[in-house]
Amino acid sequence: MDIDWSVVLDAWPNLMDGMFMTIQITLAGLAGGFVLGALAGVARAYGHVVLSIIAQVYIGVIRGTPIVVQVMFIYFALPLLVPGLRVDPVWAAIATLIINSGAYIAEIVRGSLLSVHKGLKEAGQAMGLPFYKILLHIIGPVAFRRMIPPLGNQCIISLKDSSLFIVIGVAELTRQGQEIMAANFRAVEIWSAVALIYLALTGAMALGLRWVEKRMRIL
């Protein structure tokens, strides 16, 4: 079989469009997922029993179901449950990534918070600080340093999971590759290019996180 890499150059603008869409979905999903995960993680670690149970159910349901099922539910089933609701594919993808990554980040947050020695909490209480200040200024900074390696893994996983949103027609990188390949039938060249772009994205993310780890001196 003859391999013609010039087809990749012809398809490059479309591949770049898909890459930028992948980056946008991943960044938005991880930003929202971190907020949701932080709230659920704090609820699991220090929250009232009711909040802890709600967070535990959320985490269990999301971690126990595939992300493809979650996005299909949001995009196809949710409009049937809420009459008049129309879900945009991109927003469905972002919402799914927020909900999915939030469940995994919640466990990262919970584990990191509980790994901090209880003496720090007791020292804050001895100073008469309210708990939210103890959490933000004493426990939080130490726990955050310990979160960075597992958070880095979750960022890379979420980036790769964005390829699964092809099932609802989101024009991310994998979808663009599929459409280009369907037009020119150059599977080897196109999918090699798509794989290399994903490798470049995950590699850049890994290097960035490694730099953050070194700067923050993981405790």
Side-chain angles (χ1 to χ4, degrees), residues 38-216:
L39 293 174
V42 171
R44 288 276 287 119
Y46 301 118
H48 185 272
V49 62
V50 175
L51 293 177
S52 179
I53 291 173
I54 292 173
Q56 189 171 0
V57 170
Y58 154 65
I59 293 168
V61 170
I62 298 303
R63 294 178 69 187
T65 54
I67 190 172
V68 173
V69 174
Q70 294 163 17
V71 73
M72 297 281 272
F73 182 89
I74 290 175
Y75 186 67
F76 292 110
L78 196 58
L80 298 177
L81 297 175
V82 183
L85 177 66
R86 300 189 65 176
V87 181
D88 179 78
V90 174
W91 285 108
I94 292 173
T96 302
L97 204 57
I98 289 173
I99 295 169
N100 184 271
S101 64
Y104 290 92
I105 291 173
E107 287 298 277
I108 294 172
V109 171
R110 181 187 69 85
S112 299
L113 291 173
L114 294 180
S115 72
V116 177
H117 195 280
K118 64 180 182 179
L120 292 178
K121 178 182 176 181
E122 293 170 351
Q125 291 173 332
M127 295 170 61
L129 295 175
F131 179 71
Y132 77 91
K133 286 190 175 181
I134 296 174
L135 186 61
L136 287 177
H137 302 296
I138 299 177
I139 299 175
V142 177
F144 183 72
R145 288 176 170 86
R146 298 178 179 180
M147 292 179 205
I148 293 176
L151 280 177
N153 291 336
Q154 184 57 46
C155 289
I156 292 173
I157 291 170
S158 294
L159 174 64
K160 293 188 294 183
D161 281 350
S162 67
S163 65
L164 298 174
F165 300 141
I166 188 177
V167 297
I168 59 171
V170 177
E172 42 73 53
L173 181 56
T174 304
R175 175 76 178 191
Q176 292 284 11
Q178 183 188 51
E179 292 181 352
I180 295 166
M181 192 273 296
N184 61 21
F185 300 101
R186 307 298 299 192
V188 174
E189 296 90 336
I190 298 303
W191 289 120
S192 295
V194 169
L196 288 173
I197 292 171
Y198 274 115
L199 281 172
L201 293 175
T202 56
M205 187 177 289
L207 288 174
L209 290 165
R210 188 172 300 174
W211 178 82
V212 172
E213 287 181 25
K214 290 181 178 179
R215 288 297 299 270
M216 297 195 70

